[in-house]
Amino acid sequence: MSYSLPEFLAHAIALEREAAERYLELADMMESYRNDEVSQLFRDMVRYSNLHHDSIVERAKGIALPTLRSWQYRWRQPPEVGGDEAFDPGLNAYDALRYARENEVRARDYYAQAGAQSTDPEVKRLAAEFAAEEAEHVQALDDWLARTPRPSATWSHDPDRSATA
Ligand code: ZN
C-alpha cells in the first residue's frame, strides 16, 4: 500500500515504541541472568528507539495522525513463547540477540518497502533514512552475535531461523 505522510509517521511511531518496549524487556531479562554486557546493549537499543520515536513525534508535530486500524509490523515472538506478554525465561543471550536481529531485519524491510511503495517524496526520504538506521542496528547485533558463544541447544530445530536474512 502507498502510505501518505501521516500514515507513515503513525506506523513509524508505533514501530519504534514497540521496539523500545521489547528491548526493555530483553534488557531486564539479561540483567536477571547477570549478563550485564548484553543487557547494556539492549538498554542502548531502548535509548536509540526512544530517541528515534521522539524525533518522529517531533517531525509529526502539527500533522493529524490517523488511528492505526491494522498494523502489519509487530515484533515476532520466539517460537517457545506462548503468549504476547512474556519471553521464554530460558532465552539465552545468543538467542535473544538473534531474536532482536530478526525483528530489526523486519523493521528495515518494512521501512524499505514502505518507501518503495509510496509516491510521496517525503515518505520516500524518511523511509530511506529509517531503513538505513535499522540496517545499522542489524549490523550492531551481528557484531555482538559474532562474539557471543553459541549455546548447544538453540533454535536449530527451526531451519527458518538462520542468521542470514
Ligand atoms: Zn532498530
Coordinates of all heavy atoms in Angstrom, one line a residue, residues 70-133:
S70 N -5.1 -1.5 11.1 CA -4.3 -2.7 11.1 C -2.9 -2.4 11.0 O -2.5 -1.4 10.3 CB -4.7 -3.6 9.9 OG -4.3 -3.0 8.7
W71 N -2.1 -3.1 11.7 CA -0.6 -2.8 11.7 C 0.1 -4.0 11.3 O 0.1 -5.0 12.1 CB -0.3 -2.2 13.1 CG 1.1 -1.8 13.2 CD1 2.0 -1.4 12.2 CD2 1.9 -1.8 14.4 NE1 3.2 -1.1 12.8 CE2 3.2 -1.4 14.1 CE3 1.6 -2.2 15.8 CZ2 4.2 -1.3 15.0 CZ3 2.6 -2.0 16.7 CH2 3.9 -1.6 16.3
Q72 N 0.8 -4.0 10.2 CA 1.5 -5.2 9.7 C 2.7 -5.5 10.5 O 3.2 -6.7 10.6 CB 1.8 -5.1 8.3 CG 0.7 -4.8 7.3 CD 0.7 -3.3 7.1 OE1 0.9 -2.5 8.0 NE2 0.5 -2.9 5.8
Y73 N 3.3 -4.4 11.0 CA 4.6 -4.7 11.7 C 4.4 -4.9 13.2 O 3.9 -4.0 13.9 CB 5.6 -3.5 11.5 CG 6.8 -3.8 12.2 CD1 7.9 -4.5 11.6 CD2 7.0 -3.4 13.5 CE1 9.0 -4.8 12.3 CE2 8.1 -3.7 14.2 CZ 9.1 -4.4 13.6 OH 10.3 -4.8 14.3
R74 N 4.7 -6.0 13.7 CA 4.8 -6.3 15.1 C 6.0 -7.1 15.3 O 6.4 -7.9 14.5 CB 3.6 -7.1 15.6 CG 2.3 -6.5 15.3 CD 1.6 -5.7 16.4 NE 2.0 -6.0 17.8 CZ 1.7 -5.2 18.8 NH1 1.1 -4.1 18.6 NH2 2.0 -5.6 20.0
W75 N 6.6 -7.0 16.5 CA 7.7 -7.9 16.8 C 7.2 -9.3 16.9 O 6.2 -9.6 17.5 CB 8.4 -7.5 18.2 CG 9.4 -6.5 18.0 CD1 9.3 -5.3 17.4 CD2 10.8 -6.6 18.5 NE1 10.5 -4.6 17.5 CE2 11.4 -5.4 18.1 CE3 11.5 -7.5 19.2 CZ2 12.8 -5.1 18.5 CZ3 12.8 -7.3 19.5 CH2 13.4 -6.1 19.1
R76 N 7.9 -10.2 16.3 CA 7.6 -11.6 16.4 C 8.2 -12.3 17.6 O 9.4 -12.1 17.9 CB 8.1 -12.3 15.1 CG 7.0 -12.8 14.2 CD 7.5 -13.5 13.0 NE 6.8 -13.0 11.9 CZ 7.3 -12.9 10.7 NH1 8.6 -13.3 10.5 NH2 6.6 -12.5 9.7
Q77 N 7.4 -13.0 18.3 CA 7.9 -13.7 19.5 C 8.7 -14.9 19.1 O 8.5 -15.5 18.1 CB 6.8 -14.1 20.4 CG 6.0 -12.9 20.9 CD 6.7 -12.1 21.9 OE1 7.7 -12.5 22.5 NE2 6.3 -10.8 22.1
P78 N 9.7 -15.3 19.9 CA 10.4 -16.5 19.7 C 9.4 -17.7 19.7 O 8.3 -17.6 20.4 CB 11.4 -16.7 20.8 CG 11.5 -15.3 21.4 CD 10.2 -14.6 21.1
P79 N 9.6 -18.8 19.1 CA 8.7 -19.9 18.9 C 8.3 -20.5 20.3 O 7.2 -21.0 20.4 CB 9.4 -20.9 18.0 CG 10.8 -20.5 18.0 CD 10.9 -19.1 18.3
E80 N 9.2 -20.4 21.2 CA 9.0 -21.1 22.5 C 7.9 -20.3 23.3 O 7.3 -20.9 24.3 CB 10.2 -21.2 23.4 CG 11.3 -22.1 22.8 CD 12.2 -21.5 21.9 OE1 11.9 -20.4 21.3 OE2 13.3 -22.0 21.7
V81 N 7.7 -19.1 23.0 CA 6.8 -18.2 23.8 C 5.4 -18.4 23.4 O 5.0 -18.3 22.3 CB 7.2 -16.7 23.6 CG1 6.3 -15.8 24.4 CG2 8.7 -16.5 24.1
G82 N 4.5 -18.7 24.4 CA 3.1 -18.9 24.2 C 2.4 -17.6 24.0 O 1.8 -17.3 23.0
G83 N 2.4 -16.7 25.0 CA 1.6 -15.5 25.0 C 2.4 -14.3 24.4 O 3.5 -14.5 24.0
D84 N 1.7 -13.2 24.4 CA 2.3 -12.0 23.9 C 3.1 -11.2 25.0 O 3.9 -10.4 24.8 CB 1.2 -11.0 23.4 CG 0.9 -11.3 21.9 OD1 1.7 -11.9 21.3 OD2 -0.1 -10.8 21.5
E85 N 2.8 -11.6 26.2 CA 3.2 -10.8 27.3 C 4.6 -11.1 27.9 O 5.1 -10.3 28.7 CB 2.1 -10.7 28.5 CG 1.8 -12.0 29.1 CD 1.2 -13.0 28.2 OE1 0.2 -12.7 27.5 OE2 1.7 -14.2 28.0
A86 N 5.1 -12.3 27.6 CA 6.3 -12.7 28.3 C 7.2 -13.4 27.4 O 6.8 -14.1 26.5 CB 6.0 -13.5 29.5
F87 N 8.5 -13.2 27.6 CA 9.5 -14.0 26.9 C 9.7 -15.3 27.6 O 9.4 -15.5 28.8 CB 10.8 -13.3 26.8 CG 10.8 -12.1 25.9 CD1 10.8 -10.8 26.4 CD2 10.9 -12.3 24.5 CE1 10.8 -9.7 25.6 CE2 10.9 -11.2 23.7 CZ 10.8 -9.9 24.2
D88 N 10.2 -16.3 26.9 CA 10.7 -17.5 27.5 C 11.8 -17.2 28.5 O 12.8 -16.6 28.1 CB 11.2 -18.4 26.4 CG 11.8 -19.7 26.9 OD1 11.8 -19.9 28.2 OD2 12.1 -20.6 26.1
P89 N 11.6 -17.5 29.8 CA 12.6 -17.2 30.8 C 13.9 -17.9 30.5 O 14.9 -17.5 31.1 CB 12.0 -17.6 32.1 CG 10.9 -18.6 31.7 CD 10.4 -18.2 30.4
G90 N 13.9 -18.9 29.6 CA 15.1 -19.6 29.3 C 15.9 -19.1 28.1 O 16.9 -19.6 27.7
L91 N 15.4 -18.0 27.6 CA 16.1 -17.4 26.4 C 17.5 -17.0 26.8 O 17.7 -16.1 27.6 CB 15.3 -16.2 25.9 CG 15.5 -15.7 24.5 CD1 15.1 -16.8 23.5 CD2 14.8 -14.4 24.2
N92 N 18.5 -17.5 26.1 CA 19.9 -17.2 26.4 C 20.3 -16.0 25.6 O 19.5 -15.5 24.7 CB 20.8 -18.4 26.1 CG 20.6 -18.9 24.7 OD1 20.9 -18.1 23.8 ND2 20.2 -20.1 24.5
A93 N 21.5 -15.5 25.9 CA 21.9 -14.2 25.2 C 22.0 -14.4 23.7 O 21.6 -13.5 23.0 CB 23.3 -13.8 25.8
Y94 N 22.5 -15.5 23.3 CA 22.7 -15.7 21.8 C 21.3 -15.7 21.1 O 21.1 -15.0 20.1 CB 23.4 -17.1 21.6 CG 23.7 -17.3 20.1 CD1 24.9 -16.9 19.6 CD2 22.8 -17.9 19.2 CE1 25.2 -17.1 18.2 CE2 23.1 -18.1 17.9 CZ 24.3 -17.7 17.4 OH 24.6 -17.9 16.1
D95 N 20.3 -16.4 21.7 CA 19.0 -16.5 21.0 C 18.3 -15.1 21.2 O 17.6 -14.7 20.3 CB 18.2 -17.6 21.7 CG 18.6 -19.0 21.1 OD1 19.3 -19.0 20.1 OD2 18.2 -20.0 21.7
A96 N 18.6 -14.4 22.3 CA 18.0 -13.1 22.5 C 18.5 -12.1 21.4 O 17.7 -11.4 20.8 CB 18.3 -12.5 23.9
L97 N 19.8 -12.2 21.1 CA 20.4 -11.4 20.1 C 19.8 -11.7 18.7 O 19.6 -10.9 17.9 CB 21.9 -11.5 20.1 CG 22.6 -10.9 21.3 CD1 24.0 -11.4 21.4 CD2 22.7 -9.3 21.1
R98 N 19.7 -13.0 18.5 CA 19.2 -13.5 17.2 C 17.7 -13.0 17.0 O 17.3 -12.6 15.9 CB 19.3 -15.0 17.1 CG 19.9 -15.4 15.7 CD 20.6 -16.7 15.7 NE 19.8 -17.8 16.3 CZ 19.4 -18.8 15.6 NH1 19.7 -19.0 14.3 NH2 18.8 -19.8 16.1
Y99 N 17.0 -13.1 18.1 CA 15.6 -12.7 18.0 C 15.5 -11.2 17.7 O 14.7 -10.8 16.9 CB 15.0 -13.1 19.4 CG 13.7 -12.4 19.7 CD1 12.6 -12.6 19.0 CD2 13.6 -11.5 20.8 CE1 11.4 -12.0 19.3 CE2 12.5 -10.8 21.1 CZ 11.3 -11.0 20.3 OH 10.2 -10.4 20.6
A100 N 16.3 -10.4 18.4 CA 16.3 -9.0 18.2 C 16.7 -8.7 16.7 O 16.1 -7.9 16.1 CB 17.3 -8.3 19.2
R101 N 17.7 -9.4 16.3 CA 18.2 -9.2 14.9 C 17.1 -9.5 13.9 O 16.9 -8.7 12.9 CB 19.4 -10.1 14.6 CG 20.0 -9.9 13.2 CD 20.9 -11.0 12.8 NE 21.6 -10.6 11.6 CZ 21.1 -10.8 10.4 NH1 19.9 -11.3 10.2 NH2 21.8 -10.5 9.3
E102 N 16.4 -10.5 14.1 CA 15.3 -10.9 13.2 C 14.3 -9.8 13.1 O 13.8 -9.4 12.0 CB 14.7 -12.2 13.7 CG 13.6 -12.8 12.8 CD 13.1 -14.1 13.4 OE1 13.9 -15.0 13.8 OE2 11.9 -14.2 13.5
N103 N 14.0 -9.2 14.3 CA 13.0 -8.1 14.3 C 13.5 -6.8 13.7 O 12.8 -6.1 13.1 CB 12.5 -7.9 15.7 CG 11.4 -9.0 16.1 OD1 10.3 -9.0 15.6 ND2 11.8 -9.9 16.9
E104 N 14.8 -6.6 13.8 CA 15.5 -5.4 13.2 C 15.4 -5.6 11.7 O 15.2 -4.6 10.9 CB 16.9 -5.2 13.7 CG 17.0 -4.8 15.1 CD 16.6 -3.4 15.4 OE1 16.5 -2.6 14.4 OE2 16.2 -3.1 16.5
V105 N 15.7 -6.8 11.2 CA 15.6 -7.0 9.8 C 14.2 -6.8 9.3 O 14.0 -6.1 8.2 CB 16.0 -8.5 9.4 CG1 15.6 -8.9 8.0 CG2 17.5 -8.7 9.6
R106 N 13.2 -7.2 10.0 CA 11.8 -6.9 9.6 C 11.5 -5.4 9.6 O 10.8 -5.0 8.7 CB 10.9 -7.7 10.5 CG 11.0 -9.2 10.3 CD 10.0 -10.0 11.2 NE 8.6 -9.6 10.9 CZ 7.8 -9.1 11.8 NH1 8.1 -8.9 13.0 NH2 6.5 -8.8 11.4
A107 N 12.1 -4.7 10.6 CA 11.8 -3.3 10.6 C 12.5 -2.6 9.4 O 11.9 -1.7 8.8 CB 12.4 -2.7 11.9
R108 N 13.7 -3.0 9.1 CA 14.4 -2.5 8.0 C 13.7 -2.7 6.7 O 13.4 -1.8 5.9 CB 15.8 -3.1 7.9 CG 16.7 -2.7 6.7 CD 17.8 -3.6 6.5 NE 17.3 -4.9 6.0 CZ 18.0 -6.0 5.9 NH1 19.3 -6.1 6.3 NH2 17.5 -7.2 5.4
D109 N 13.2 -3.9 6.5 CA 12.5 -4.3 5.3 C 11.1 -3.6 5.2 O 10.7 -3.2 4.2 CB 12.3 -5.8 5.2 CG 13.6 -6.6 5.1 OD1 14.6 -5.9 4.8 OD2 13.6 -7.8 5.2
Y110 N 10.5 -3.4 6.4 CA 9.3 -2.7 6.5 C 9.4 -1.3 6.0 O 8.6 -0.8 5.1 CB 8.8 -2.7 7.9 CG 7.5 -1.9 8.1 CD1 6.3 -2.5 7.8 CD2 7.5 -0.6 8.6 CE1 5.1 -1.7 7.9 CE2 6.4 0.1 8.8 CZ 5.2 -0.5 8.5 OH 4.0 0.3 8.6
Y111 N 10.4 -0.6 6.5 CA 10.7 0.8 6.0 C 11.0 0.9 4.6 O 10.6 1.7 3.8 CB 11.8 1.5 6.9 CG 11.4 1.9 8.3 CD1 12.2 1.6 9.4 CD2 10.2 2.6 8.5 CE1 11.8 2.1 10.6 CE2 9.8 3.1 9.7 CZ 10.6 2.8 10.8 OH 10.3 3.2 12.1
A112 N 11.9 -0.1 4.1 CA 12.3 -0.1 2.7 C 11.1 -0.2 1.8 O 11.0 0.4 0.8 CB 13.4 -1.2 2.5
Q113 N 10.2 -1.2 2.2 CA 9.1 -1.4 1.4 C 8.1 -0.3 1.4 O 7.5 0.1 0.4 CB 8.4 -2.7 1.9 CG 7.4 -3.3 1.0 CD 6.6 -4.4 1.6 OE1 6.5 -4.5 2.8 NE2 6.1 -5.3 0.8
A114 N 7.9 0.3 2.6 CA 7.0 1.5 2.7 C 7.5 2.6 1.8 O 6.7 3.3 1.1 CB 6.9 2.0 4.1
G115 N 8.8 2.8 1.7 CA 9.4 3.9 0.9 C 9.2 3.6 -0.6 O 8.9 4.4 -1.4
A116 N 9.5 2.3 -0.9 CA 9.4 1.9 -2.3 C 8.0 2.0 -2.8 O 7.8 2.3 -4.0 CB 9.9 0.4 -2.5
Q117 N 7.0 1.8 -2.0 CA 5.6 1.7 -2.4 C 5.0 3.1 -2.4 O 3.9 3.3 -3.0 CB 4.8 0.8 -1.6 CG 5.2 -0.7 -1.9 CD 4.5 -1.7 -0.9 OE1 3.8 -1.2 0.0 NE2 4.6 -2.9 -1.2
S118 N 5.6 4.0 -1.7 CA 4.9 5.3 -1.5 C 5.2 6.2 -2.7 O 6.3 6.2 -3.3 CB 5.3 6.0 -0.2 OG 4.6 7.3 -0.1
T119 N 4.3 7.1 -3.1 CA 4.5 8.0 -4.1 C 4.8 9.4 -3.5 O 5.1 10.3 -4.3 CB 3.3 8.2 -5.0 OG1 2.1 8.4 -4.2 CG2 3.1 6.9 -5.8
D120 N 4.8 9.5 -2.2 CA 5.1 10.8 -1.5 C 6.6 10.9 -1.4 O 7.2 10.1 -0.7 CB 4.3 10.8 -0.2 CG 4.5 12.1 0.6 OD1 5.6 12.6 0.7 OD2 3.5 12.6 1.0
P121 N 7.2 12.0 -1.9 CA 8.6 12.1 -1.8 C 9.1 12.2 -0.4 O 10.2 11.8 -0.1 CB 8.9 13.4 -2.6 CG 7.6 14.1 -2.8 CD 6.5 13.1 -2.7
E122 N 8.4 12.9 0.5 CA 8.8 13.0 1.9 C 8.8 11.6 2.6 O 9.6 11.3 3.4 CB 7.9 14.0 2.6 CG 8.3 14.2 4.1 CD 9.7 14.8 4.3 OE1 10.4 15.0 3.4 OE2 10.0 15.1 5.5
V123 N 7.8 10.8 2.3 CA 7.7 9.4 2.8 C 8.9 8.7 2.3 O 9.6 8.0 3.1 CB 6.4 8.7 2.4 CG1 6.5 7.2 2.8 CG2 5.2 9.4 3.1
K124 N 9.2 8.8 1.0 CA 10.4 8.1 0.5 C 11.7 8.5 1.1 O 12.5 7.7 1.5 CB 10.5 8.4 -1.1 CG 9.5 7.6 -1.9 CD 9.8 7.9 -3.4 CE 8.9 7.0 -4.3 NZ 9.1 5.6 -4.1
R125 N 11.8 9.8 1.4 CA 13.0 10.3 2.0 C 13.2 9.8 3.4 O 14.2 9.2 3.8 CB 13.0 11.8 2.0 CG 14.3 12.5 2.5 CD 14.2 14.0 2.6 NE 13.3 14.4 3.7 CZ 13.8 14.5 5.0 NH1 15.0 14.1 5.3 NH2 12.9 14.9 5.9
L126 N 12.1 9.9 4.2 CA 12.2 9.5 5.6 C 12.3 7.9 5.7 O 13.1 7.4 6.5 CB 10.9 9.9 6.4 CG 10.7 11.4 6.6 CD1 9.3 11.6 7.2 CD2 11.8 11.8 7.7
A127 N 11.6 7.2 4.8 CA 11.7 5.8 4.9 C 13.1 5.3 4.6 O 13.6 4.3 5.2 CB 10.7 5.1 3.9
A128 N 13.8 5.9 3.6 CA 15.2 5.5 3.3 C 16.1 5.8 4.5 O 16.9 5.0 4.8 CB 15.6 6.3 2.1
E129 N 15.9 6.9 5.1 CA 16.7 7.3 6.3 C 16.4 6.3 7.4 O 17.4 5.8 8.1 CB 16.2 8.7 6.8 CG 17.1 9.4 7.8 CD 16.4 10.7 8.2 OE1 16.3 11.6 7.3 OE2 16.0 10.8 9.3
F130 N 15.2 5.9 7.7 CA 14.9 5.0 8.8 C 15.4 3.6 8.4 O 15.9 2.9 9.3 CB 13.3 4.9 9.0 CG 12.7 6.2 9.5 CD1 11.4 6.4 9.6 CD2 13.5 7.3 9.8 CE1 10.8 7.5 10.1 CE2 13.0 8.5 10.2 CZ 11.6 8.6 10.4
A131 N 15.2 3.2 7.2 CA 15.7 1.8 6.8 C 17.2 1.8 7.0 O 17.8 0.7 7.5 CB 15.4 1.5 5.3
A132 N 18.0 2.8 6.7 CA 19.4 2.9 6.9 C 19.7 2.7 8.4 O 20.7 2.0 8.8 CB 20.0 4.1 6.3
E133 N 18.9 3.4 9.3 CA 19.2 3.3 10.7 C 19.0 1.8 11.2 O 19.7 1.3 12.0 CB 18.2 4.2 11.5 CG 18.7 5.5 11.8 CD 17.7 6.4 12.5 OE1 17.2 6.0 13.6 OE2 17.4 7.5 12.1

